[in-house]
């Protein structure tokens, strides 16, 4: 529980002075995600900068330092009957809040409640020239200046070191149940439609092999067996055997698109998130076709040296990315190479 | 970059309809530009001052300025061609939707082109199963819901201006409404944008998928006030209509006890679909205007909407009624049927025009504060109202802590506009002092430029300029708005004391 801003600032200033790269690490729980980085990079550890700065349950607002463990935040919110609406995965339990926001990965509740960036209210940032800047704030609505805090969400630490984060939190919903039944695309889709229309608190879905799982308000009368809701945690953290393989691709598509629906090992998010194991071809080729929207990421790979794991960007969008990188991290010290958005190939 | 807003006095009443044709210094380059623009736009180009006058102001009517030229393209290709031409000739471009913005965001540039998106008013497609709609930027907010309601769907963010304001303007301001406590702002309900760059090229941000590759430029575009790109298509997410809804109307003796009830409701774990407050002046104005049946003797009213399944809602309504009474409400009415709910909401939705009836002019402010500061800040606004000698009506999004003090003034009386602006500026500074922000949903525009100097440091504002340059390197999109230059802030800082301190320099003068 301490404020280590000055230590982190000094480390960044020195690294910038020497133009030497920094690998930003919180709990290292998502080390597998993103392109591999040379091990000689110096590590900047955000774990030393931790602690809850402000938590006001009646404001639905939480402000924490980046190194605060996700587990600590979950239990704190739980005591007040609240939660992080985006149900982030913790991949092994050491995740920190800085990493949660930097990676921008949301869990099973995402389609109904929103994604990480939807809940970010403000961020304090350490930029490449070692200045500390604040964007956004602690209030629910704020349009003063550009929304830099949401820009940092999912930026994989490539634009700066997140020092602290203010988040909107949600009250826990009333009692929810999880049902399991035999997957049947048409019947499952019509069930989702019914749950939505009747306001029955649809909050997660998954198709794993021939099983379809759905979570909704206990009031819903779903045909199927009621099963343990702990499933969703195992799903978010990819602890199900269906995720085991060499190359795991994350496919994000419009929920009703046919893209890879048949081949997917696991389907989440009411259809919008599909996981593909060891496809014969790079799935990104599929998206080159006209009218196929979405993107694919090589999420985990046993080919350690794959450095093109993220989807290529449109050339114009890629140009804006390179300029933003230059703006926030002019010397290029933050997590170089972790993502492939800034290369000229884009 | 030039700073057209450095001399605010010059902005007021620069145009009088009696003026003849506008005098523009015609250089050969400008003449060539006008000729080329005319060949692109034909009849959809306006240059005569009588017709230009329609565009001289947005919803912030205190700031007016005639544009040089107005164009009204009808296709994306036309927008691209116009923007490319402006880029070549370094002519500033200000995009405009319906012109309902309340911070002067769409206020024209006197040597620039005002690009009206009004003709882009078609709903392009609706994907019922995917629950999205693809629309042109000039479609009105309510027009989207109108196009999908037969499917049991709707578009959630509902600014009070929803019959008029456009989705393009909503994106540019990240607009909210009375239902954003539960359903979010524009940024939470938009899936994708098609954007024309200041060079006239086109790119897509987002898609119907739930996330996109790369940095979240889609979020960054929201609230960017037409300064990063021209939005030419918007894909919105739709929601299913909730099966049942009820609205509680609770009367309180004063704003402080109503504000306390707001905190109590949220702390109890109930997340209302909407939670709005009105003070006595607003209640009386609304009642006189629409006869919604509000108790006129009440010091404050809360309107609290709940939605959910019928069973769930019955239970919640009982809990909420008890909560409201425990927090000191002097009377609670709950409306279940649609007509009755609409009647209760009508007073709130008509509050701005209602206040417009009791005063020649009003100035709408838009700060957000942490909810816990509500009682204090409302009391201080009351004290400032006395000090400045101007009445103020409060009607606002209490659940979000988003204040909308309406300062009543008469522009025809010497000094009153300046006094109203000074009072407004003081309210915004109060919001910053209490940990809030100078704008919750109306944007900075041409209006809150000075307060940006207080909310952000020089380094932070430098980053904003940097971000702008990543999208618009030559700075032709809506120049001079939203972000003050360092020199402007230095000048402003000489007159005001910064962050944390509590000066009341204006007060001595009144
Ligand atoms: C009576 C009244 C009530 C209101 N209530 C609310 C409310 O409850 N909540 C709320 O949030 N706001 C409210 N507003 C403010 C206003 O309606 C919103 O800001 C609205 O989003 C503006 O939309 P518009 O189409 O009128 O935009 P305009 O005023 O025309 O433009 C606003 C800004 O958007 C830019 N812009 C417009 N279209 C585009 C485009 N296609 N691409 C890029 N930039 C563009 C303009 O350059 C300008 O900076 C209210 C206003 C009035 C008059």
């Amino acid at each position: 529980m301490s404020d280590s801003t000055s230590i982190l600032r000094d480390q960044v200033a020195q690294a910038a002075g020497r133009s030497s790269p920094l690998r930003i690490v919180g709990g290292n729980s998502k080390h597998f995600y993103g392109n591999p980085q040379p091990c000689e990079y110096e590590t900047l550890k955000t774990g030393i900068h931790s602690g809850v700065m402000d938590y006001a349950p009646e404001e639905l607002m939480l402000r924490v330092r980046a190194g605060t463990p996700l587990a600590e935040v979950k239990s704190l919110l739980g005591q007040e009957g609240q939660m992080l609406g985006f149900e982030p995965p913790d991949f092994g339990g050491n995740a920190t809040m800085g990493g949660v926001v930097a990676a921008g990965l949301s869990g099973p509740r995402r389609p109904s409640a929103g994604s990480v960036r939807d809940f970010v209210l403000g961020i304090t940032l350490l930029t490449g020239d070692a200045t500390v800047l604040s964007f956004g704030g602690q209030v629910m609505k704020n349009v003063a200046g550009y929304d830099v805090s949401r820009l940092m969400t999912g930026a994989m630490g490539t634009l700066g070191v997140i020092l602290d984060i203010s988040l909107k939190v949600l009250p826990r919903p009333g009692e929810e149940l999880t049902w399991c039944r035999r997957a049947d695309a048409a019947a499952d889709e019509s069930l989702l439609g019914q749950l939505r229309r009747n306001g029955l608190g649809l909050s997660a879905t998954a198709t794993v092999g021939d099983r379809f799982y759905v979570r909704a308000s206990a009031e819903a009368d779903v045909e199927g067996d009621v099963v343990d809701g702990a499933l969703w945690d195992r799903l978010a953290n990819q602890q199900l055997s269906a995720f085991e393989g060499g190359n795991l691709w994350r496919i994000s598509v419009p929920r009703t698109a046919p893209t890879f629906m048949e081949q997917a090992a696991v389907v989440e998010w009411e259809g919008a998130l599909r996981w593909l194991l060891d496809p014969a071809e790079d799935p990104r080729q599929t998206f080159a076709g006209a009218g196929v929207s979405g993107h694919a990421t090589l999420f985990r790979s046993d080919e350690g040296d794959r450095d093109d794991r993220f989807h290529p960007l449109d050339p114009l969008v890629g140009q804006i990315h390179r300029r933003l990188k230059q703006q926030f991290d002019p010397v290029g010290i933050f997590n170089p190479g972790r993502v492939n958005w800034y290369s000229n190939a884009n | 970059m030039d700073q057209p807003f450095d001399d605010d006095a010059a902005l007021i009443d620069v145009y009088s309809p009696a003026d003849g044709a506008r005098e523009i210094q015609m250089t050969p380059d400008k003449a060539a530009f006008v000729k080329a623009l005319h060949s692109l736009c034909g009849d959809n180009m306006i240059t005569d001052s009588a017709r230009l006058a329609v565009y001289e102001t947005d919803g912030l009517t205190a700031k007016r300025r005639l544009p040089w030229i107005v164009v009204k393209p009808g296709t994306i290709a036309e927008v691209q061609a116009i923007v490319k031409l402006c880029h070549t000739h370094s002519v500033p471009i200000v995009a405009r939707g319906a012109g309902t913005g309340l911070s002067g965001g769409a206020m024209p540039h006197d040597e620039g082109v005002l690009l009206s998106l009004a003709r882009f008013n078609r709903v392009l497609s609706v994907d019922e199963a995917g629950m999205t709609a693809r629309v042109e930027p000039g479609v009105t907010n309510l027009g989207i819901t109108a196009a999908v309601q037969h499917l049991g769907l709707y578009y959630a963010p509902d600014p009070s201006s929803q019959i008029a304001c456009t989705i393009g303007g909503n994106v540019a301001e990240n607009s909210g409404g009375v239902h954003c406590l539960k359903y979010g702002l524009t940024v939470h309900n938009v899936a994708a944008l098609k954007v024309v760059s200041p060079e006239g090229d086109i790119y897509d941000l987002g898609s119907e998928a739930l996330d996109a590759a790369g940095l979240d430029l889609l979020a960054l575009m929201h609230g960017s006030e037409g300064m990063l790109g021209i939005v030419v298509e918007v894909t919105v997410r739709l929601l299913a209509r909730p099966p049942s809804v009820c609205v509680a109307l609770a009367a309180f003796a004063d704003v402080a006890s109503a504000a306390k009830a707001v905190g109590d409701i949220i702390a109890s774990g109930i997340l209302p679909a909407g939670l709005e407050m009105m003070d006595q002046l607003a209640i009386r104005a609304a009642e006189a205007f629409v006869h919604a049946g509000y108790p006129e003797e009440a010091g404050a009213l809360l309107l609290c909407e709940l939605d959910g399944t019928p069973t769930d809602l019955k239970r919640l309504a009982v809990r909420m009624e008890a909560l409201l009474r425990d927090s000191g409400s002097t009377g609670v009415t709950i409306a279940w049927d649609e007509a009755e709910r609409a009647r209760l909401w009508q007073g709130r939705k008509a509050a701005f025009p209602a206040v417009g009836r009791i005063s020649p002019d009003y100035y709408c402010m838009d700060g957000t504060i942490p909810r816990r500061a509500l009682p204090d800040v409302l009391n201080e606004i009351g004290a400032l109202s006395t000090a400045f000698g101007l009445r103020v009506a409060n009607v606002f999004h209490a659940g979000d802590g988003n204040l909308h003090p309406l300062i009543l003034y008469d522009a025809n009386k010497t000094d009153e506009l300046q006094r109203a602006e000074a009072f407004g500026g003081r309210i915004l500074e109060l919001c910053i002092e209490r940990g809030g922000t100078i704008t919750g949903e109306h944007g900075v525009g041409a209006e809150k430029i000075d307060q940006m100097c207080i909310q952000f440091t020089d380094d932070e504002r430098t980053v904003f300029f940097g971000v702008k340059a990543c999208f618009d390197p030559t700075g032709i999109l809506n120049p001079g708005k939203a972000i003050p230059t360092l020199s402007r802030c230095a000048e402003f800082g000489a007159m005001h004391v910064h962050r944390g301190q509590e000066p009341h320099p204006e007060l001595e003068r009144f």
Side-chain angles (χ1 to χ4, degrees), chain B residues 95 97-102 105 159-161 165-166 169-170 172-173 175-176 225-226 231 441:
Chain B
T100 68
L102 290 172
S160 309
S161 51
C165 66
T166 68
N170 290 177
E173 303 290 6
S175 302
E225 307 195 18
V231 173
E441 57 182 15

Side-chain angles (χ1 to χ4, degrees), chain A residues 1-12 44-51 53 65-67 126 132 161-164:
Chain A
M1 279 279 283
S2 67
D3 180 347
S4 304
T5 305
S6 61
I7 300 174
L8 296 175
R9 201 204 287 125
D10 290 349
Q11 193 180 353
V12 168
L44 180 134
K45 294 185 174 139
T46 60
I48 57 169
H49 187 62
S50 83
M53 300 166 76
R65 295 199 186 96
L126 183 52
V132 175
V161 182
I162 296 172
L163 289 176
D164 65 63

